Amino acid sequence: RTAATAATLMIGVALVSAVAILAASTTTSLERRLTEGQRGDFIIAPVAYEPFDARLLDTVQGLDGVEKAYGYRRGAVRVGGDVDRVTLGGASREAIVDGTSLDVVAGSLYDGGGVAPALVDSDYATDHGLTIGQVVDLTGPRGSAQVLVTGLHDGGARPALGDVVVTPDTFAALDDESLVTHIVVFADAGVDRSVVQDELQAAVADL
């Protein structure tokens, strides 16, 4: 159950129209972009690329036949004194390890206490002189936070997580936590996946 196989399904969230359910074996460009290198049994993502209500994550996690589900957020922040904003990703350490194919080349999103952790894109870190163990200030639309660079990544996740990836708590201090870009769902072992798919479709239809 790791990654782009025909067993992975994408459930499209149509925010203003009907819900589309697409099998991972189809050849649409949308499907390829969302499922390439993706883990999990189902992916819930917006057809129009617009983020959707994060409360759906709680609903999905409570469905029969769902082992676990992870939500992912995206926003924008300024790093240090830079004027330009970079993309900000929000996800738990478990969501990154289990639910994505993010290529973490050093360290991890490990929260050892004290300063909140952050993963930084390795190219961005090189260009801006950032290293593991360095504390940096982030400024977003909702406020500021100080983070400790605890790891570096080379991307690889689809959809992309961002130049700087932080925990959900840190993301909430910086940007709007009420929306998610996608949800990765793992079904219980041995469960009838078609039943889980129907439950997910019903949950999505309520948006």
Side-chain angles (χ1 to χ4, degrees), residues 87-177:
T87 54
L88 174 72
S92 68
R93 181 173 182 267
E94 293 77 12
I96 292 171
V97 172
D98 296 341
T100 78
S101 56
L102 186 70
D103 184 11
V104 179
V105 294
S108 68
L109 191 68
Y110 174 70
D111 189 355
V115 183
L119 288 173
V120 178
D121 177 87
S122 59
D123 289 337
Y124 180 87
T126 298
D127 292 343
H128 293 79
L130 301 180
T131 60
I132 291 179
Q134 185 173 347
V135 175
V136 297
D137 294 317
L138 303 180
T139 304
R142 289 204 163 179
S144 301
Q146 198 171 67
V147 298
L148 175 68
V149 179
T150 57
L152 303 174
H153 74 81
D154 277 349
R158 295 290 183 273
L161 293 182
D163 298 307
V164 179
V165 183
V166 297
T167 64
D169 286 345
T170 303
F171 187 95
L174 296 165
D175 213 324
D176 183 6
E177 64 174 330

Side-chain angles (χ1 to χ4, degrees), residues 8-162:
T8 302
L9 299 179
M10 188 199 77
I11 296 181
V13 179
L15 298 181
V16 294
S17 59
V19 172
I21 299 181
L22 305 174
S25 58
T26 61
T27 58
T28 65
S29 60
L30 170 64
E31 187 80 7
R32 287 197 302 271
R33 266 184 274 180
L34 288 171
T35 59
E36 182 181 3
Q38 183 63 58
R39 298 175 180 174
D41 295 305
F42 301 92
I43 304 166
I44 300 176
V47 172
Y49 299 103
E50 292 294 329
F52 54 95
D53 196 332
R55 289 177 294 183
L56 180 62
L57 178 59
D58 293 331
T59 299
V60 169
Q61 289 172 330
L63 294 177
D64 291 338
V66 170
E67 176 189 356
K68 55 190 176 183
Y70 299 118
Y72 303 84
R73 294 169 171 84
R74 276 174 67 91
V77 291
R78 293 193 300 272
V79 180
D82 287 354
V83 176
D84 295 332
R85 292 184 176 183
V86 299
T87 54
L88 174 72
S92 68
R93 181 173 182 267
E94 293 77 12
I96 292 171
V97 172
D98 296 341
T100 78
S101 56
L102 186 70
D103 184 11
V104 179
V105 294
S108 68
L109 191 68
Y110 174 70
D111 189 355
V115 183
L119 288 173
V120 178
D121 177 87
S122 59
D123 289 337
Y124 180 87
T126 298
D127 292 343
H128 293 79
L130 301 180
T131 60
I132 291 179
Q134 185 173 347
V135 175
V136 297
D137 294 317
L138 303 180
T139 304
R142 289 204 163 179
S144 301
Q146 198 171 67
V147 298
L148 175 68
V149 179
T150 57
L152 303 174
H153 74 81
D154 277 349
R158 295 290 183 273
L161 293 182

